[in-house]
């Protein structure tokens, strides 16, 4: 667990097991019957299991769940307080502000009896009581430069090799946008 604690913030970054995450989401959905609140500060709702991102996550869950933490950006959670209960932590007024697709896909997999015992997700948990600041965190966590399909070739070995050969012929073929 990495912890940042100063006068402005209290933030924790830690891996959370897929089972624990799914159980927590299930508690919100079925015990509290409050699934709207859990994602209330996320800039969008669950886009469905049919998106390419969700399909890729499902494939990872089914084929190599131990790699999920490597392939996924994780989940950002904001809560008003963290209470210790034995070896567990209770997040008061927790909301997922980034990673709703990840959380919802894991929840669906758990409902479909997927084995999540080897799956872990990086979670960043921020303790924050200021509602205005919560909105700013959510907006900034969900604002980034979109990655385009063409960007994916920048790490492809064949594209790098082709670029290298063409450079020998004094022909430059860009394979990466930006600097």
């Amino acid at each position: 667990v990495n912890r940042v604690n100063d006068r402005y913030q209290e933030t924790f970054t830690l891996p959370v097991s897929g089972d624990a995450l799914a159980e927590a989401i299930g508690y919100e959905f079925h015990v509290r019957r409050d699934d709207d609140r859990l994602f209330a500060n996320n800039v969008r709702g669950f886009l469905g299991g049919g998106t390419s991102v969700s399909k890729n996550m499902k494939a990872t869950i089914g084929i190599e769940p131990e790699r999920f933490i490597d392939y996924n950006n994780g989940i950002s959670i904001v809560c008003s307080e963290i209470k210790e209960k034995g070896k567990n932590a209770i997040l008061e007024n927790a909301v997922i502000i980034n990673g709703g697709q990840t959380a919802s896909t894991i929840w669906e997999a758990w409902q479909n009896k997927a084995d999540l015992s080897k799956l872990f997700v990086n979670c960043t948990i921020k303790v924050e009581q200021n509602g205005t600041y919560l909105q700013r965190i959510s907006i900034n966590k969900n604002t980034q430069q979109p990655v385009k399909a063409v960007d994916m070739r920048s790490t492809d070995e064949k594209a790098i090799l082709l670029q290298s050969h063409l450079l020998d012929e004094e022909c430059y073929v860009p394979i990466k946008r930006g600097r």
Side-chain angles (χ1 to χ4, degrees):
V1 175
N2 292 324
R3 180 180 184 169
V4 175
N5 191 6
D6 63 26
R7 66 183 189 149
Y8 296 110
Q9 64 181 356
E10 185 173 26
T11 304
F12 303 85
T13 304
L14 66 154
V16 175
S17 74
D19 287 325
L21 181 63
E23 287 175 25
I25 292 168
Y27 176 81
E28 290 292 322
F29 285 2
H30 293 290
V31 176
R32 291 177 53 125
R33 301 208 182 277
D34 204 2
D35 55 322
D36 289 338
R37 188 194 61 76
L38 185 61
F39 298 106
N41 291 91
N42 203 316
V43 297
R44 65 178 174 228
F46 182 45
L47 300 177
T51 67
S52 62
V53 171
S54 292
K55 287 177 182 177
N56 287 339
M57 281 192 271
K58 288 178 189 177
T60 301
I61 291 168
I63 298 168
E64 50 183 348
E66 65 282 353
R67 290 292 189 180
F68 194 91
I69 197 166
D70 300 324
Y71 301 159
N72 185 273
N73 288 330
I75 296 173
S76 295
I77 301 168
V78 175
C79 64
S80 61
E81 182 181 7
I82 299 176
K83 294 180 179 175
E84 290 183 42
K85 184 175 182 182
K87 292 183 178 183
N88 296 315
I90 307 297
L91 308 182
E92 294 292 328
N93 303 307
V95 290
I96 295 174
I97 59 166
N98 187 266
Q101 300 306 114
T102 297
S104 296
T105 301
I106 290 171
W107 165 247
E108 279 190 348
W110 191 63
Q111 283 194 301
N112 291 325
K113 308 295 186 222
D115 179 9
L116 302 179
S117 63
K118 296 179 184 175
L119 185 147
F120 286 85
V121 180
N122 276 320
C123 287
T124 300
I125 302 167
K126 167 90 172 122
V127 179
E128 177 62 51
Q129 287 92 17
N130 184 331
T132 303
Y133 192 63
L134 172 63
Q135 183 182 19
R136 287 177 54 200
I137 294 170
S138 180
I139 289 169
N140 284 289
K141 282 279 191 181
N142 288 285
T143 305
Q144 48 188 275
Q145 293 293 327
V147 176
K148 298 182 178 181
V150 70
D151 297 327
M152 299 303 176
R153 70 178 179 200
S154 68
T155 59
D156 180 74
E157 290 179 24
K158 290 178 185 175
I160 294 167
L161 185 62
L162 177 62
Q163 184 186 48
S164 175
H165 287 303
L166 290 173
L167 277 175
D168 291 341
E169 302 296 322
E170 297 184 7
C171 179
Y172 177 70
V173 177
I175 61 171
K176 182 184 283 190
R177 296 185 305 143
R179 294 180 189 219

